Short mmCIF file of all heavy atoms in Angstrom, two decimals:
data_model
loop_
_atom_site.label_atom_id
_atom_site.label_comp_id
_atom_site.label_asym_id
_atom_site.label_seq_id
_atom_site.Cartn_x
_atom_site.Cartn_y
_atom_site.Cartn_z
N SER A 15 79.79 142.12 111.89
CA SER A 15 78.33 142.26 111.88
C SER A 15 77.63 140.93 112.16
O SER A 15 76.69 140.86 112.96
CB SER A 15 77.88 142.82 110.52
OG SER A 15 76.48 142.85 110.45
N LEU A 16 78.09 139.86 111.51
CA LEU A 16 77.49 138.55 111.74
C LEU A 16 77.71 138.07 113.17
O LEU A 16 76.82 137.46 113.77
CB LEU A 16 78.04 137.53 110.73
CG LEU A 16 77.54 137.65 109.31
CD1 LEU A 16 78.34 136.75 108.37
CD2 LEU A 16 76.06 137.32 109.24
N THR A 17 78.88 138.35 113.72
CA THR A 17 79.15 137.96 115.11
C THR A 17 78.16 138.65 116.05
O THR A 17 77.59 138.02 116.95
CB THR A 17 80.60 138.30 115.51
OG1 THR A 17 81.49 137.58 114.67
CG2 THR A 17 80.88 137.95 116.96
N GLN A 18 77.93 139.93 115.82
CA GLN A 18 76.99 140.68 116.66
C GLN A 18 75.56 140.18 116.48
O GLN A 18 74.83 139.99 117.44
CB GLN A 18 77.08 142.17 116.35
CG GLN A 18 78.37 142.79 116.81
CD GLN A 18 78.56 144.21 116.32
OE1 GLN A 18 77.79 144.72 115.51
NE2 GLN A 18 79.61 144.86 116.83
N ARG A 19 75.15 139.92 115.24
CA ARG A 19 73.78 139.49 114.98
C ARG A 19 73.50 138.06 115.45
O ARG A 19 72.43 137.76 115.95
CB ARG A 19 73.46 139.61 113.49
CG ARG A 19 73.36 141.03 113.03
CD ARG A 19 73.15 141.10 111.52
NE ARG A 19 73.32 142.43 111.05
CZ ARG A 19 72.32 143.25 110.75
NH1 ARG A 19 71.08 142.84 110.87
NH2 ARG A 19 72.57 144.45 110.31
N LEU A 20 74.49 137.18 115.23
CA LEU A 20 74.31 135.77 115.59
C LEU A 20 74.72 135.47 117.02
O LEU A 20 74.33 134.43 117.57
CB LEU A 20 75.12 134.88 114.63
CG LEU A 20 74.77 134.96 113.15
CD1 LEU A 20 75.77 134.16 112.34
CD2 LEU A 20 73.35 134.46 112.91
N GLY A 21 75.55 136.33 117.59
CA GLY A 21 76.07 136.09 118.92
C GLY A 21 77.04 134.92 118.95
O GLY A 21 77.25 134.31 119.99
N SER A 22 77.62 134.59 117.79
CA SER A 22 78.51 133.44 117.69
C SER A 22 79.62 133.73 116.70
O SER A 22 79.37 133.84 115.50
CB SER A 22 77.72 132.22 117.22
OG SER A 22 78.56 131.16 116.83
N TRP A 23 80.87 133.87 117.21
CA TRP A 23 81.95 134.12 116.26
C TRP A 23 82.28 132.90 115.41
O TRP A 23 82.66 133.06 114.25
CB TRP A 23 83.19 134.70 116.95
CG TRP A 23 83.84 133.85 118.00
CD1 TRP A 23 83.65 133.96 119.34
CD2 TRP A 23 84.76 132.79 117.79
NE1 TRP A 23 84.40 133.01 119.99
CE2 TRP A 23 85.10 132.28 119.06
CE3 TRP A 23 85.34 132.21 116.66
CZ2 TRP A 23 85.99 131.23 119.23
CZ3 TRP A 23 86.22 131.16 116.83
CH2 TRP A 23 86.53 130.68 118.10
N PRO A 24 82.11 131.63 115.89
CA PRO A 24 82.38 130.51 114.98
C PRO A 24 81.45 130.49 113.77
O PRO A 24 81.90 130.27 112.64
CB PRO A 24 82.19 129.27 115.87
CG PRO A 24 82.42 129.75 117.26
CD PRO A 24 81.89 131.15 117.27
N TRP A 25 80.16 130.73 114.00
CA TRP A 25 79.24 130.76 112.86
C TRP A 25 79.51 131.95 111.95
O TRP A 25 79.37 131.86 110.73
CB TRP A 25 77.78 130.78 113.32
CG TRP A 25 77.29 129.40 113.62
CD1 TRP A 25 76.99 128.87 114.84
CD2 TRP A 25 77.07 128.35 112.66
NE1 TRP A 25 76.60 127.56 114.70
CE2 TRP A 25 76.64 127.22 113.37
CE3 TRP A 25 77.20 128.26 111.27
CZ2 TRP A 25 76.34 126.01 112.76
CZ3 TRP A 25 76.90 127.06 110.65
CH2 TRP A 25 76.48 125.96 111.39
N ALA A 26 79.92 133.05 112.54
CA ALA A 26 80.26 134.22 111.72
C ALA A 26 81.45 133.91 110.82
O ALA A 26 81.46 134.29 109.64
CB ALA A 26 80.56 135.42 112.62
N ILE A 27 82.43 133.18 111.34
CA ILE A 27 83.59 132.79 110.52
C ILE A 27 83.15 131.86 109.40
O ILE A 27 83.57 132.03 108.24
CB ILE A 27 84.68 132.13 111.39
CG1 ILE A 27 85.35 133.17 112.28
CG2 ILE A 27 85.73 131.45 110.51
CD1 ILE A 27 86.35 132.60 113.27
N VAL A 28 82.30 130.88 109.70
CA VAL A 28 81.83 129.94 108.68
C VAL A 28 81.10 130.68 107.56
O VAL A 28 81.39 130.48 106.37
CB VAL A 28 80.92 128.86 109.30
CG1 VAL A 28 80.20 128.06 108.22
CG2 VAL A 28 81.72 127.93 110.20
N LEU A 29 80.17 131.55 107.92
CA LEU A 29 79.40 132.27 106.89
C LEU A 29 80.26 133.27 106.12
O LEU A 29 80.12 133.40 104.90
CB LEU A 29 78.20 132.97 107.55
CG LEU A 29 77.15 132.02 108.13
CD1 LEU A 29 76.08 132.81 108.88
CD2 LEU A 29 76.52 131.16 107.03
N THR A 30 81.16 133.93 106.81
CA THR A 30 82.06 134.87 106.13
C THR A 30 83.00 134.12 105.18
O THR A 30 83.27 134.59 104.07
CB THR A 30 82.85 135.69 107.16
OG1 THR A 30 81.94 136.38 108.01
CG2 THR A 30 83.76 136.70 106.47
N SER A 31 83.45 132.95 105.60
CA SER A 31 84.34 132.14 104.74
C SER A 31 83.60 131.67 103.49
O SER A 31 84.18 131.62 102.41
CB SER A 31 84.87 130.94 105.52
OG SER A 31 85.66 131.38 106.58
N LEU A 32 82.34 131.32 103.65
CA LEU A 32 81.53 130.93 102.50
C LEU A 32 81.40 132.10 101.53
O LEU A 32 81.58 131.94 100.31
CB LEU A 32 80.15 130.45 102.95
CG LEU A 32 79.17 130.07 101.86
CD1 LEU A 32 79.70 128.92 101.02
CD2 LEU A 32 77.82 129.70 102.46
N ALA A 33 81.12 133.27 102.05
CA ALA A 33 81.02 134.46 101.20
C ALA A 33 82.36 134.76 100.53
O ALA A 33 82.41 135.12 99.34
CB ALA A 33 80.56 135.67 102.03
N PHE A 34 83.45 134.59 101.27
CA PHE A 34 84.80 134.81 100.74
C PHE A 34 85.08 133.85 99.58
O PHE A 34 85.63 134.23 98.54
CB PHE A 34 85.81 134.62 101.87
CG PHE A 34 87.20 135.11 101.59
CD1 PHE A 34 87.48 136.45 101.53
CD2 PHE A 34 88.25 134.20 101.46
CE1 PHE A 34 88.77 136.90 101.31
CE2 PHE A 34 89.54 134.64 101.24
CZ PHE A 34 89.80 135.99 101.16
N SER A 35 84.66 132.61 99.75
CA SER A 35 84.84 131.60 98.71
C SER A 35 84.04 131.96 97.46
O SER A 35 84.55 131.92 96.34
CB SER A 35 84.40 130.24 99.25
OG SER A 35 84.54 129.24 98.27
N LEU A 36 82.77 132.30 97.65
CA LEU A 36 81.91 132.66 96.51
C LEU A 36 82.40 133.91 95.80
O LEU A 36 82.29 134.02 94.58
CB LEU A 36 80.46 132.83 96.97
CG LEU A 36 79.77 131.55 97.44
CD1 LEU A 36 78.41 131.87 98.06
CD2 LEU A 36 79.64 130.56 96.30
N TYR A 37 82.94 134.84 96.55
CA TYR A 37 83.50 136.06 95.97
C TYR A 37 84.66 135.74 95.03
O TYR A 37 84.83 136.38 93.98
CB TYR A 37 83.97 136.98 97.10
CG TYR A 37 84.82 138.14 96.66
CD1 TYR A 37 84.25 139.27 96.09
CD2 TYR A 37 86.21 138.10 96.80
CE1 TYR A 37 85.03 140.34 95.69
CE2 TYR A 37 87.00 139.16 96.40
CZ TYR A 37 86.41 140.28 95.84
OH TYR A 37 87.18 141.33 95.43
N HIS A 38 85.47 134.74 95.37
CA HIS A 38 86.64 134.39 94.56
C HIS A 38 86.33 133.48 93.38
O HIS A 38 87.17 133.34 92.48
CB HIS A 38 87.73 133.77 95.43
CG HIS A 38 88.46 134.78 96.25
ND1 HIS A 38 88.04 135.16 97.50
CD2 HIS A 38 89.57 135.51 95.99
CE1 HIS A 38 88.86 136.08 97.95
NE2 HIS A 38 89.81 136.31 97.06
N LEU A 39 85.17 132.85 93.36
CA LEU A 39 84.84 131.91 92.28
C LEU A 39 84.89 132.56 90.90
O LEU A 39 85.51 132.00 89.99
CB LEU A 39 83.48 131.25 92.53
CG LEU A 39 83.05 130.21 91.50
CD1 LEU A 39 84.07 129.07 91.39
CD2 LEU A 39 81.67 129.67 91.85
N PRO A 40 84.27 133.72 90.67
CA PRO A 40 84.37 134.32 89.33
C PRO A 40 85.81 134.62 88.90
O PRO A 40 86.17 134.46 87.74
CB PRO A 40 83.56 135.61 89.43
CG PRO A 40 82.66 135.40 90.59
CD PRO A 40 83.39 134.50 91.53
N TYR A 41 86.63 135.07 89.83
CA TYR A 41 88.04 135.31 89.51
C TYR A 41 88.72 134.01 89.09
O TYR A 41 89.45 133.96 88.10
CB TYR A 41 88.79 135.90 90.71
CG TYR A 41 88.36 137.29 91.06
CD1 TYR A 41 87.50 137.52 92.13
CD2 TYR A 41 88.81 138.38 90.34
CE1 TYR A 41 87.09 138.80 92.46
CE2 TYR A 41 88.41 139.67 90.65
CZ TYR A 41 87.55 139.87 91.72
OH TYR A 41 87.16 141.13 92.04
N ALA A 42 88.49 132.97 89.89
CA ALA A 42 89.14 131.68 89.61
C ALA A 42 88.72 131.11 88.27
O ALA A 42 89.50 130.43 87.60
CB ALA A 42 88.83 130.70 90.74
N TYR A 43 87.50 131.39 87.85
CA TYR A 43 86.99 130.83 86.59
C TYR A 43 87.26 131.73 85.39
O TYR A 43 87.55 131.24 84.30
CB TYR A 43 85.49 130.56 86.71
CG TYR A 43 84.89 129.94 85.48
CD1 TYR A 43 85.25 128.64 85.10
CD2 TYR A 43 84.00 130.63 84.68
CE1 TYR A 43 84.72 128.06 83.96
CE2 TYR A 43 83.46 130.05 83.55
CZ TYR A 43 83.82 128.77 83.19
OH TYR A 43 83.30 128.20 82.05
N LEU A 44 87.15 133.03 85.57
CA LEU A 44 87.19 133.95 84.42
C LEU A 44 88.52 134.65 84.21
O LEU A 44 88.83 135.06 83.09
CB LEU A 44 86.09 135.02 84.59
CG LEU A 44 84.66 134.49 84.61
CD1 LEU A 44 83.69 135.61 84.97
CD2 LEU A 44 84.30 133.86 83.28
N ASP A 45 89.31 134.81 85.25
CA ASP A 45 90.56 135.57 85.12
C ASP A 45 91.65 134.69 84.49
O ASP A 45 92.06 133.69 85.08
CB ASP A 45 91.00 136.05 86.49
CG ASP A 45 92.16 137.03 86.43
OD1 ASP A 45 92.94 137.00 85.44
OD2 ASP A 45 92.30 137.84 87.37
N PRO A 46 92.13 135.07 83.31
CA PRO A 46 93.15 134.24 82.64
C PRO A 46 94.47 134.15 83.41
O PRO A 46 95.29 133.27 83.13
CB PRO A 46 93.35 134.92 81.29
CG PRO A 46 92.80 136.28 81.44
CD PRO A 46 91.77 136.24 82.52
N ASP A 47 94.68 135.01 84.38
CA ASP A 47 95.90 134.94 85.19
C ASP A 47 95.84 133.82 86.23
O ASP A 47 96.86 133.50 86.83
CB ASP A 47 96.15 136.27 85.89
CG ASP A 47 96.54 137.37 84.91
OD1 ASP A 47 97.07 137.04 83.83
OD2 ASP A 47 96.29 138.55 85.21
N TRP A 48 94.64 133.27 86.47
CA TRP A 48 94.50 132.17 87.42
C TRP A 48 94.68 130.85 86.67
O TRP A 48 94.17 130.68 85.56
CB TRP A 48 93.12 132.19 88.08
CG TRP A 48 92.92 133.31 89.06
CD1 TRP A 48 93.15 134.63 88.85
CD2 TRP A 48 92.44 133.19 90.39
NE1 TRP A 48 92.83 135.34 89.96
CE2 TRP A 48 92.38 134.48 90.93
CE3 TRP A 48 92.03 132.11 91.17
CZ2 TRP A 48 91.95 134.72 92.22
CZ3 TRP A 48 91.59 132.37 92.46
CH2 TRP A 48 91.57 133.66 92.98
N ALA A 49 95.36 129.90 87.25
CA ALA A 49 95.59 128.60 86.61
C ALA A 49 94.28 127.86 86.36
O ALA A 49 94.21 127.02 85.46
CB ALA A 49 96.51 127.74 87.48
N SER A 50 93.24 128.18 87.11
CA SER A 50 91.94 127.50 86.99
C SER A 50 91.01 128.14 85.96
O SER A 50 89.89 127.67 85.77
CB SER A 50 91.25 127.49 88.35
OG SER A 50 91.08 128.81 88.83
N ALA A 51 91.46 129.17 85.26
CA ALA A 51 90.61 129.90 84.32
C ALA A 51 90.02 128.96 83.27
O ALA A 51 90.72 128.15 82.68
CB ALA A 51 91.41 131.00 83.63
N GLY A 52 88.70 129.07 83.10
CA GLY A 52 88.00 128.30 82.09
C GLY A 52 87.63 126.89 82.51
O GLY A 52 86.92 126.19 81.79
N ASP A 53 88.07 126.44 83.66
CA ASP A 53 87.79 125.09 84.15
C ASP A 53 86.98 125.23 85.44
O ASP A 53 87.52 125.52 86.50
CB ASP A 53 89.11 124.36 84.41
CG ASP A 53 88.91 122.92 84.85
OD1 ASP A 53 87.83 122.57 85.34
OD2 ASP A 53 89.88 122.14 84.70
N LEU A 54 85.66 125.00 85.33
CA LEU A 54 84.77 125.24 86.47
C LEU A 54 85.11 124.34 87.66
O LEU A 54 85.06 124.78 88.81
CB LEU A 54 83.31 125.06 86.07
CG LEU A 54 82.28 125.44 87.13
CD1 LEU A 54 82.47 126.87 87.59
CD2 LEU A 54 80.87 125.23 86.59
N ALA A 55 85.47 123.10 87.41
CA ALA A 55 85.81 122.20 88.51
C ALA A 55 87.05 122.71 89.25
O ALA A 55 87.06 122.77 90.49
CB ALA A 55 86.04 120.78 87.99
N GLN A 56 88.08 123.09 88.50
CA GLN A 56 89.29 123.61 89.13
C GLN A 56 89.03 124.95 89.81
O GLN A 56 89.56 125.22 90.89
CB GLN A 56 90.41 123.76 88.10
CG GLN A 56 91.07 122.46 87.72
CD GLN A 56 91.69 121.76 88.91
OE1 GLN A 56 91.16 120.79 89.44
NE2 GLN A 56 92.82 122.25 89.37
#
Side-chain angles (χ1 to χ4, degrees):
S15 175
L16 286 170
T17 299
Q18 290 172 352
R19 291 176 191 258
L20 299 173
S22 167
W23 61 262
W25 276 110
I27 289 175
V28 168
L29 294 174
T30 302
S31 296
L32 178 61
F34 193 72
S35 180
L36 292 172
Y37 168 79
H38 284 89
L39 182 59
Y41 292 101
Y43 182 67
L44 298 172
D45 189 334
D47 291 334
W48 288 52
S50 58
D53 183 338
L54 187 56
Q56 284 300 104

